[in-house]
Amino acid sequence: MARFRDINIQPSGETAWFGGGVYDGQATEYLWEKGYVATTGACNCVGMLGPGLGGGHGPLEGVYGLISDNFRQLNVVLANGTAITVNETSHADLLWGMKGAGHNFGIVTSFELNIYPRGPDLWHYHNYIWRGDKLDAVFTAFNNFHNNGSTPVNMTVNFGGFQLNTTISTTDPVIWWTFAYRGTAQEAENLLAPFNAIGSVHEDSGDVPYPGVSIAQGNGENQFICQDNEVRITSTAGLQVYNLTAEHQIYDGFKRRIASNPTLAAGAGILHEGYSTEAVDNKNPEDSAYPFRADHHLMLVQIIIPPGNASIERAAWEWAREVTDQWNGGQPERPVNTYVNYANGYEPVEQVYGHEPWRLERLRALKKVYDPENRFRFYNPIVRGNATMTARYR
């Protein structure tokens, strides 16, 4: 899709057409220069469309919704070679499915998306590193700050977690975090006062135009997170609030692995993502295939391992599953939810596409119409089984 990277702002200034290969950093830079923003992910090197077809979380979701909430129409090539346009008047049934499960139905060559006036010229960022003895204070502050889905709208995205930073400690993981605020430093720092009161070992902050936020948060195209040709072991969970007991278990597990398997620990990151979610919550959950609007935090275990080391790989998978079980064990009253864009392909279909039977029935019915031979089944397929599931090797 790398050849499909055109962006064309429409005369109304309300939408733009994007090629299927447009990526976040490209879109953000281009639109900002023209006076606009759009719903993208937070990582510059990631394509817009892949995450968008699975929902698409990002910095502006609290203001404008998910990427998929902003789809106007999509040009789709079906498995039989037919090219169709999907919108509210053409294949409207499929538009519902493309908003959350779109990779199951065809190849999207281009899409029209809402765009918006760019807003404040500067955004504020603030990055922290704390030692592990601040874990209770940090996660208590987060639960108060987010208030189970009531995050201030302009405190657009924060993420962080546990990792090894040998400049601070060779035996204990640190807690690192980054915040991005759509507005002035004064407004942001008033909201961040509870975190500023927790003694950190490192902080940096500043004000940048919106395209610079991802770089300030470590998600630039040339930064570590965007390096390719890596073997990555991942696992995920969707949460509403942070459970302090679970976070202690996860932190202690990381500390044990630093001691017992330093190669494994060196490549590990236990990521917690938090967003302002007002516009996501305000959407009718039945209006799209995206099933988990009540998940306010996206969790991700990501472990980068040396290639060709079977014992390290087994240990990584064991650790990843352990952490996910601990996160889900901290919310026993809720079903287990898996964000499809972070799923590794081994979760039950209900955990990925929704626990309500009507959702799965509707998606399967769409498959019968638009992909009856189940050709699009490589990535987290709706229809599974020996006859239709391609092998996946970890």
Side-chain angles (χ1 to χ4, degrees), residues 370-391:
Y370 291 100
D371 186 20
E373 296 184 6
N374 198 26
R375 296 290 180 84
F376 291 101
R377 62 181 186 270
F378 175 74
Y379 183 77
N380 293 310
I382 297 164
V383 178
R384 303 183 179 183
N386 292 336
T388 59
M389 183 73 170
T390 56

Side-chain angles (χ1 to χ4, degrees), residues 310-325:
S311 64
I312 289 283
E313 185 173 344
R314 285 194 297 271
W317 279 116
E318 178 183 347
W319 188 9
R321 293 190 186 102
E322 174 186 295
V323 173
T324 298
D325 288 344

Side-chain angles (χ1 to χ4, degrees), residues 12 90 133 174 235 249 293 312 329:
S12 67
S90 171
D133 62 353
V174 299
S235 189
Q249 292 171 342
R293 292 181 184 272
I312 289 283

Side-chain angles (χ1 to χ4, degrees), residues 110-320:
S110 61
F111 59 100
E112 187 181 16
L113 192 77
N114 293 326
I115 61 174
Y116 302 93
R118 74 182 201 177
D121 287 339
L122 293 176
W123 287 44
H124 184 71
Y125 69 89
H126 197 144
N127 303 329
Y128 302 84
I129 299 177
W130 295 284
R131 294 186 185 274
D133 62 353
K134 301 298 192 293
L135 187 149
D136 281 341
V138 168
F139 282 97
T140 298
F142 271 114
N143 281 337
N144 292 333
F145 177 75
H146 287 291
N147 194 24
N148 195 7
S150 300
T151 312
V153 170
N154 284 328
M155 188 61 76
T156 58
V157 58
N158 68 82
F159 56 87
F162 310 141
Q163 67 180 22
L164 180 61
N165 184 330
T166 55
T167 67
I168 295 172
S169 174
T170 60
T171 59
D172 297 340
V174 299
I175 305 170
W176 66 275
W177 226 277
T178 177
F179 294 79
Y181 183 80
R182 181 176 176 263
T184 68
Q186 181 177 352
E187 293 169 350
E189 294 301 331
N190 285 340
L191 293 171
L192 292 174
F195 301 97
N196 293 333
I198 303 170
S200 64
V201 293
H202 174 79
E203 293 183 36
D204 65 274
S205 61
D207 301 286
V208 293
Y210 178 51
V213 169
S214 57
I215 298 170
Q217 294 194 295
N219 281 339
E221 290 180 56
N222 298 315
Q223 293 175 296
F224 175 77
I225 193 66
C226 283
Q227 301 307 302
D228 54 13
N229 298 317
E230 304 277 7
V231 179
R232 301 172 188 261
I233 304 301
T234 64
S235 189
T236 188
L239 306 182
Q240 286 191 323
V241 299
Y242 295 124
N243 182 290
L244 270 65
T245 299
E247 295 301 333
H248 273 289
Q249 292 171 342
I250 294 164
Y251 183 88
D252 291 344
F254 202 139
K255 185 175 180 178
R256 289 194 304 272
R257 285 169 173 89
I258 292 174
S260 65
N261 197 333
T263 300
L264 179 66
I270 311 296
L271 185 65
H272 307 62
E273 297 181 16
Y275 300 90
S276 62
T277 59
E278 182 176 292
V280 177
D281 295 339
N282 286 342
K283 301 289 184 181
N284 184 341
E286 297 185 4
D287 285 348
S288 76
Y290 181 73
F292 300 134
R293 292 181 184 272
D295 287 355
H296 300 134
H297 303 311
L298 299 181
M299 307 293 101
L300 180 66
V301 181
Q302 181 167 258
I303 308 171
I304 298 174
I305 62 173
N309 190 321
S311 64
I312 289 283
E313 185 173 344
R314 285 194 297 271
W317 279 116
E318 178 183 347
W319 188 9

